[in-house]
Amino acid sequence: MNVGQHLKIINAEEIEFFYSENKGTYAATSDGRNYLLDTTLDNLNDELESQKFFRVSRKFYININHIKDIISYTNSRLQIKLYRFSEQEIIVSRERVKDFKYWLE
């Protein structure tokens, strides 16, 4: 994947999630590093393996192998807890909850 001006190989297993922030798209890895990507979350949809990655909201794509816990949240939404990341809440949007539960199966 393109990471800024560099081409870097990152194994999908190492990516905890992708996120969008301040008009940038980042890959967050299990070793705690964040890589700025030369793409958007919308474009990642065609590139990611759908069995491993799910877009839970406009801001986050998560890796199923890094989910630690799933908690019921307000307004029929779900909160995702990952193994490493805890700086922000990751919420499955109401529109995506049904598809997310189906994806987990």
Side-chain angles (χ1 to χ4, degrees), residues 59-81:
K59 188 172 182 175
F60 290 102
Y61 250 110
I62 61 170
N63 184 334
I64 192 168
N65 297 317
H66 291 274
I67 297 174
K68 180 170 70 172
D69 200 5
I70 302 169
I71 303 164
S72 291
Y73 199 72
T74 59
N75 293 329
S76 304
R77 297 177 297 170
L78 298 171
Q79 181 178 18
I80 306 298
K81 298 284 188 185

PDB file of all heavy atoms in Angstrom, residues 59-81:
ATOM      1  N   LYS A  59     -16.211   6.483   9.720  1.00  0.00           N
ATOM      2  CA  LYS A  59     -14.851   6.747  10.167  1.00  0.00           C
ATOM      3  C   LYS A  59     -13.966   5.505  10.303  1.00  0.00           C
ATOM      4  O   LYS A  59     -12.751   5.601  10.215  1.00  0.00           O
ATOM      5  CB  LYS A  59     -14.912   7.478  11.506  1.00  0.00           C
ATOM      6  CG  LYS A  59     -13.588   7.982  11.987  1.00  0.00           C
ATOM      7  CD  LYS A  59     -13.728   8.850  13.202  1.00  0.00           C
ATOM      8  CE  LYS A  59     -12.372   9.361  13.612  1.00  0.00           C
ATOM      9  NZ  LYS A  59     -12.419  10.286  14.708  1.00  0.00           N
ATOM     10  N   PHE A  60     -14.547   4.324  10.523  1.00  0.00           N
ATOM     11  CA  PHE A  60     -13.754   3.139  10.871  1.00  0.00           C
ATOM     12  C   PHE A  60     -14.062   1.912  10.024  1.00  0.00           C
ATOM     13  O   PHE A  60     -15.222   1.581   9.787  1.00  0.00           O
ATOM     14  CB  PHE A  60     -13.998   2.733  12.331  1.00  0.00           C
ATOM     15  CG  PHE A  60     -13.444   3.677  13.347  1.00  0.00           C
ATOM     16  CD1 PHE A  60     -14.279   4.564  14.012  1.00  0.00           C
ATOM     17  CD2 PHE A  60     -12.103   3.683  13.664  1.00  0.00           C
ATOM     18  CE1 PHE A  60     -13.782   5.435  14.966  1.00  0.00           C
ATOM     19  CE2 PHE A  60     -11.586   4.545  14.610  1.00  0.00           C
ATOM     20  CZ  PHE A  60     -12.433   5.426  15.254  1.00  0.00           C
ATOM     21  N   TYR A  61     -12.990   1.226   9.616  1.00  0.00           N
ATOM     22  CA  TYR A  61     -13.020  -0.135   9.069  1.00  0.00           C
ATOM     23  C   TYR A  61     -12.262  -0.973  10.077  1.00  0.00           C
ATOM     24  O   TYR A  61     -11.124  -0.655  10.410  1.00  0.00           O
ATOM     25  CB  TYR A  61     -12.236  -0.199   7.759  1.00  0.00           C
ATOM     26  CG  TYR A  61     -13.041  -0.390   6.515  1.00  0.00           C
ATOM     27  CD1 TYR A  61     -13.165   0.639   5.602  1.00  0.00           C
ATOM     28  CD2 TYR A  61     -13.649  -1.607   6.220  1.00  0.00           C
ATOM     29  CE1 TYR A  61     -13.879   0.473   4.430  1.00  0.00           C
ATOM     30  CE2 TYR A  61     -14.365  -1.780   5.062  1.00  0.00           C
ATOM     31  CZ  TYR A  61     -14.473  -0.741   4.178  1.00  0.00           C
ATOM     32  OH  TYR A  61     -15.172  -0.919   3.018  1.00  0.00           O
ATOM     33  N   ILE A  62     -12.847  -2.055  10.578  1.00  0.00           N
ATOM     34  CA  ILE A  62     -12.160  -2.841  11.599  1.00  0.00           C
ATOM     35  C   ILE A  62     -11.843  -4.251  11.100  1.00  0.00           C
ATOM     36  O   ILE A  62     -12.498  -4.778  10.213  1.00  0.00           O
ATOM     37  CB  ILE A  62     -12.968  -2.923  12.910  1.00  0.00           C
ATOM     38  CG1 ILE A  62     -14.321  -3.589  12.671  1.00  0.00           C
ATOM     39  CG2 ILE A  62     -13.130  -1.547  13.531  1.00  0.00           C
ATOM     40  CD1 ILE A  62     -15.061  -3.927  13.945  1.00  0.00           C
ATOM     41  N   ASN A  63     -10.816  -4.850  11.708  1.00  0.00           N
ATOM     42  CA  ASN A  63     -10.396  -6.212  11.411  1.00  0.00           C
ATOM     43  C   ASN A  63     -11.051  -7.138  12.434  1.00  0.00           C
ATOM     44  O   ASN A  63     -10.897  -6.951  13.643  1.00  0.00           O
ATOM     45  CB  ASN A  63      -8.872  -6.301  11.498  1.00  0.00           C
ATOM     46  CG  ASN A  63      -8.322  -7.658  11.124  1.00  0.00           C
ATOM     47  OD1 ASN A  63      -8.985  -8.682  11.240  1.00  0.00           O
ATOM     48  ND2 ASN A  63      -7.075  -7.661  10.675  1.00  0.00           N
ATOM     49  N   ILE A  64     -11.770  -8.144  11.964  1.00  0.00           N
ATOM     50  CA  ILE A  64     -12.500  -9.056  12.851  1.00  0.00           C
ATOM     51  C   ILE A  64     -11.573  -9.732  13.862  1.00  0.00           C
ATOM     52  O   ILE A  64     -11.971 -10.029  14.981  1.00  0.00           O
ATOM     53  CB  ILE A  64     -13.286 -10.111  12.036  1.00  0.00           C
ATOM     54  CG1 ILE A  64     -14.274 -10.860  12.924  1.00  0.00           C
ATOM     55  CG2 ILE A  64     -12.341 -11.050  11.302  1.00  0.00           C
ATOM     56  CD1 ILE A  64     -15.270 -11.709  12.162  1.00  0.00           C
ATOM     57  N   ASN A  65     -10.323  -9.957  13.501  1.00  0.00           N
ATOM     58  CA  ASN A  65      -9.385 -10.658  14.376  1.00  0.00           C
ATOM     59  C   ASN A  65      -8.872  -9.801  15.530  1.00  0.00           C
ATOM     60  O   ASN A  65      -8.162 -10.304  16.403  1.00  0.00           O
ATOM     61  CB  ASN A  65      -8.217 -11.192  13.564  1.00  0.00           C
ATOM     62  CG  ASN A  65      -8.659 -12.213  12.540  1.00  0.00           C
ATOM     63  OD1 ASN A  65      -9.475 -13.079  12.831  1.00  0.00           O
ATOM     64  ND2 ASN A  65      -8.147 -12.097  11.334  1.00  0.00           N
ATOM     65  N   HIS A  66      -9.213  -8.525  15.543  1.00  0.00           N
ATOM     66  CA  HIS A  66      -8.745  -7.639  16.605  1.00  0.00           C
ATOM     67  C   HIS A  66      -9.874  -7.163  17.521  1.00  0.00           C
ATOM     68  O   HIS A  66      -9.666  -6.300  18.366  1.00  0.00           O
ATOM     69  CB  HIS A  66      -8.013  -6.439  15.997  1.00  0.00           C
ATOM     70  CG  HIS A  66      -6.709  -6.816  15.373  1.00  0.00           C
ATOM     71  ND1 HIS A  66      -5.540  -6.890  16.085  1.00  0.00           N
ATOM     72  CD2 HIS A  66      -6.399  -7.187  14.104  1.00  0.00           C
ATOM     73  CE1 HIS A  66      -4.560  -7.274  15.283  1.00  0.00           C
ATOM     74  NE2 HIS A  66      -5.065  -7.469  14.075  1.00  0.00           N
ATOM     75  N   ILE A  67     -11.064  -7.748  17.361  1.00  0.00           N
ATOM     76  CA  ILE A  67     -12.196  -7.383  18.224  1.00  0.00           C
ATOM     77  C   ILE A  67     -12.062  -8.116  19.551  1.00  0.00           C
ATOM     78  O   ILE A  67     -11.989  -9.342  19.590  1.00  0.00           O
ATOM     79  CB  ILE A  67     -13.548  -7.738  17.555  1.00  0.00           C
ATOM     80  CG1 ILE A  67     -13.730  -6.932  16.278  1.00  0.00           C
ATOM     81  CG2 ILE A  67     -14.701  -7.491  18.527  1.00  0.00           C
ATOM     82  CD1 ILE A  67     -14.963  -7.318  15.472  1.00  0.00           C
ATOM     83  N   LYS A  68     -12.032  -7.337  20.635  1.00  0.00           N
ATOM     84  CA  LYS A  68     -11.952  -7.911  21.972  1.00  0.00           C
ATOM     85  C   LYS A  68     -13.338  -8.086  22.577  1.00  0.00           C
ATOM     86  O   LYS A  68     -13.627  -9.069  23.242  1.00  0.00           O
ATOM     87  CB  LYS A  68     -11.095  -7.013  22.876  1.00  0.00           C
ATOM     88  CG  LYS A  68     -10.962  -7.527  24.302  1.00  0.00           C
ATOM     89  CD  LYS A  68      -9.928  -6.759  25.095  1.00  0.00           C
ATOM     90  CE  LYS A  68     -10.383  -5.356  25.390  1.00  0.00           C
ATOM     91  NZ  LYS A  68      -9.489  -4.637  26.318  1.00  0.00           N
ATOM     92  N   ASP A  69     -14.233  -7.116  22.313  1.00  0.00           N
ATOM     93  CA  ASP A  69     -15.552  -7.144  22.930  1.00  0.00           C
ATOM     94  C   ASP A  69     -16.529  -6.329  22.092  1.00  0.00           C
ATOM     95  O   ASP A  69     -16.131  -5.382  21.401  1.00  0.00           O
ATOM     96  CB  ASP A  69     -15.470  -6.562  24.351  1.00  0.00           C
ATOM     97  CG  ASP A  69     -16.646  -6.976  25.229  1.00  0.00           C
ATOM     98  OD1 ASP A  69     -17.485  -7.784  24.786  1.00  0.00           O
ATOM     99  OD2 ASP A  69     -16.728  -6.473  26.363  1.00  0.00           O
ATOM    100  N   ILE A  70     -17.814  -6.695  22.173  1.00  0.00           N
ATOM    101  CA  ILE A  70     -18.886  -5.963  21.506  1.00  0.00           C
ATOM    102  C   ILE A  70     -19.946  -5.687  22.558  1.00  0.00           C
ATOM    103  O   ILE A  70     -20.421  -6.613  23.224  1.00  0.00           O
ATOM    104  CB  ILE A  70     -19.483  -6.782  20.342  1.00  0.00           C
ATOM    105  CG1 ILE A  70     -18.396  -7.137  19.332  1.00  0.00           C
ATOM    106  CG2 ILE A  70     -20.625  -6.016  19.683  1.00  0.00           C
ATOM    107  CD1 ILE A  70     -18.817  -8.146  18.299  1.00  0.00           C
ATOM    108  N   ILE A  71     -20.309  -4.423  22.719  1.00  0.00           N
ATOM    109  CA  ILE A  71     -21.196  -4.003  23.799  1.00  0.00           C
ATOM    110  C   ILE A  71     -22.403  -3.280  23.210  1.00  0.00           C
ATOM    111  O   ILE A  71     -22.257  -2.443  22.320  1.00  0.00           O
ATOM    112  CB  ILE A  71     -20.444  -3.049  24.758  1.00  0.00           C
ATOM    113  CG1 ILE A  71     -19.186  -3.741  25.289  1.00  0.00           C
ATOM    114  CG2 ILE A  71     -21.344  -2.595  25.895  1.00  0.00           C
ATOM    115  CD1 ILE A  71     -18.184  -2.790  25.919  1.00  0.00           C
ATOM    116  N   SER A  72     -23.596  -3.588  23.734  1.00  0.00           N
ATOM    117  CA  SER A  72     -24.793  -2.847  23.319  1.00  0.00           C
ATOM    118  C   SER A  72     -24.627  -1.389  23.697  1.00  0.00           C
ATOM    119  O   SER A  72     -24.119  -1.056  24.770  1.00  0.00           O
ATOM    120  CB  SER A  72     -26.038  -3.413  24.013  1.00  0.00           C
ATOM    121  OG  SER A  72     -26.312  -4.692  23.523  1.00  0.00           O
ATOM    122  N   TYR A  73     -25.065  -0.519  22.799  1.00  0.00           N
ATOM    123  CA  TYR A  73     -24.880   0.919  22.973  1.00  0.00           C
ATOM    124  C   TYR A  73     -26.219   1.604  22.725  1.00  0.00           C
ATOM    125  O   TYR A  73     -27.170   0.972  22.286  1.00  0.00           O
ATOM    126  CB  TYR A  73     -23.803   1.384  21.966  1.00  0.00           C
ATOM    127  CG  TYR A  73     -23.166   2.707  22.272  1.00  0.00           C
ATOM    128  CD1 TYR A  73     -22.273   2.849  23.324  1.00  0.00           C
ATOM    129  CD2 TYR A  73     -23.448   3.825  21.494  1.00  0.00           C
ATOM    130  CE1 TYR A  73     -21.663   4.055  23.589  1.00  0.00           C
ATOM    131  CE2 TYR A  73     -22.847   5.043  21.748  1.00  0.00           C
ATOM    132  CZ  TYR A  73     -21.946   5.155  22.806  1.00  0.00           C
ATOM    133  OH  TYR A  73     -21.349   6.362  23.063  1.00  0.00           O
ATOM    134  N   THR A  74     -26.304   2.882  22.978  1.00  0.00           N
ATOM    135  CA  THR A  74     -27.566   3.608  22.835  1.00  0.00           C
ATOM    136  C   THR A  74     -28.083   3.580  21.398  1.00  0.00           C
ATOM    137  O   THR A  74     -27.322   3.424  20.446  1.00  0.00           O
ATOM    138  CB  THR A  74     -27.404   5.080  23.267  1.00  0.00           C
ATOM    139  OG1 THR A  74     -26.397   5.678  22.449  1.00  0.00           O
ATOM    140  CG2 THR A  74     -27.029   5.191  24.720  1.00  0.00           C
ATOM    141  N   ASN A  75     -29.397   3.757  21.250  1.00  0.00           N
ATOM    142  CA  ASN A  75     -30.069   3.828  19.948  1.00  0.00           C
ATOM    143  C   ASN A  75     -29.787   2.622  19.053  1.00  0.00           C
ATOM    144  O   ASN A  75     -29.547   2.761  17.863  1.00  0.00           O
ATOM    145  CB  ASN A  75     -29.686   5.113  19.201  1.00  0.00           C
ATOM    146  CG  ASN A  75     -30.218   6.349  19.894  1.00  0.00           C
ATOM    147  OD1 ASN A  75     -31.261   6.300  20.529  1.00  0.00           O
ATOM    148  ND2 ASN A  75     -29.498   7.444  19.778  1.00  0.00           N
ATOM    149  N   SER A  76     -29.815   1.433  19.630  1.00  0.00           N
ATOM    150  CA  SER A  76     -29.648   0.172  18.888  1.00  0.00           C
ATOM    151  C   SER A  76     -28.302   0.052  18.186  1.00  0.00           C
ATOM    152  O   SER A  76     -28.152  -0.692  17.225  1.00  0.00           O
ATOM    153  CB  SER A  76     -30.765   0.008  17.852  1.00  0.00           C
ATOM    154  OG  SER A  76     -32.014   0.072  18.475  1.00  0.00           O
ATOM    155  N   ARG A  77     -27.312   0.775  18.649  1.00  0.00           N
ATOM    156  CA  ARG A  77     -25.971   0.688  18.075  1.00  0.00           C
ATOM    157  C   ARG A  77     -25.124  -0.251  18.917  1.00  0.00           C
ATOM    158  O   ARG A  77     -25.532  -0.702  19.971  1.00  0.00           O
ATOM    159  CB  ARG A  77     -25.333   2.076  17.997  1.00  0.00           C
ATOM    160  CG  ARG A  77     -26.102   3.023  17.075  1.00  0.00           C
ATOM    161  CD  ARG A  77     -25.523   4.401  17.063  1.00  0.00           C
ATOM    162  NE  ARG A  77     -25.611   4.996  18.388  1.00  0.00           N
ATOM    163  CZ  ARG A  77     -25.017   6.130  18.746  1.00  0.00           C
ATOM    164  NH1 ARG A  77     -24.291   6.802  17.881  1.00  0.00           N
ATOM    165  NH2 ARG A  77     -25.136   6.601  19.961  1.00  0.00           N
ATOM    166  N   LEU A  78     -23.913  -0.536  18.425  1.00  0.00           N
ATOM    167  CA  LEU A  78     -22.973  -1.389  19.144  1.00  0.00           C
ATOM    168  C   LEU A  78     -21.652  -0.658  19.301  1.00  0.00           C
ATOM    169  O   LEU A  78     -21.240   0.094  18.424  1.00  0.00           O
ATOM    170  CB  LEU A  78     -22.730  -2.685  18.359  1.00  0.00           C
ATOM    171  CG  LEU A  78     -23.930  -3.584  18.126  1.00  0.00           C
ATOM    172  CD1 LEU A  78     -23.568  -4.699  17.154  1.00  0.00           C
ATOM    173  CD2 LEU A  78     -24.432  -4.155  19.432  1.00  0.00           C
ATOM    174  N   GLN A  79     -21.004  -0.904  20.425  1.00  0.00           N
ATOM    175  CA  GLN A  79     -19.668  -0.352  20.653  1.00  0.00           C
ATOM    176  C   GLN A  79     -18.669  -1.494  20.525  1.00  0.00           C
ATOM    177  O   GLN A  79     -18.876  -2.583  21.055  1.00  0.00           O
ATOM    178  CB  GLN A  79     -19.565   0.272  22.037  1.00  0.00           C
ATOM    179  CG  GLN A  79     -18.208   0.884  22.312  1.00  0.00           C
ATOM    180  CD  GLN A  79     -18.131   1.543  23.683  1.00  0.00           C
ATOM    181  OE1 GLN A  79     -18.944   1.286  24.548  1.00  0.00           O
ATOM    182  NE2 GLN A  79     -17.142   2.373  23.864  1.00  0.00           N
ATOM    183  N   ILE A  80     -17.578  -1.236  19.782  1.00  0.00           N
ATOM    184  CA  ILE A  80     -16.541  -2.237  19.557  1.00  0.00           C
ATOM    185  C   ILE A  80     -15.331  -1.894  20.415  1.00  0.00           C
ATOM    186  O   ILE A  80     -14.862  -0.763  20.418  1.00  0.00           O
ATOM    187  CB  ILE A  80     -16.105  -2.254  18.071  1.00  0.00           C
ATOM    188  CG1 ILE A  80     -17.306  -2.426  17.148  1.00  0.00           C
ATOM    189  CG2 ILE A  80     -15.045  -3.322  17.833  1.00  0.00           C
ATOM    190  CD1 ILE A  80     -18.055  -3.700  17.318  1.00  0.00           C
ATOM    191  N   LYS A  81     -14.835  -2.883  21.122  1.00  0.00           N
ATOM    192  CA  LYS A  81     -13.584  -2.744  21.866  1.00  0.00           C
ATOM    193  C   LYS A  81     -12.534  -3.589  21.146  1.00  0.00           C
ATOM    194  O   LYS A  81     -12.752  -4.773  20.890  1.00  0.00           O
ATOM    195  CB  LYS A  81     -13.738  -3.250  23.305  1.00  0.00           C
ATOM    196  CG  LYS A  81     -14.754  -2.476  24.124  1.00  0.00           C
ATOM    197  CD  LYS A  81     -14.200  -1.164  24.555  1.00  0.00           C
ATOM    198  CE  LYS A  81     -15.148  -0.489  25.537  1.00  0.00           C
ATOM    199  NZ  LYS A  81     -14.711   0.836  25.899  1.00  0.00           N
TER     200      LYS A  81
END
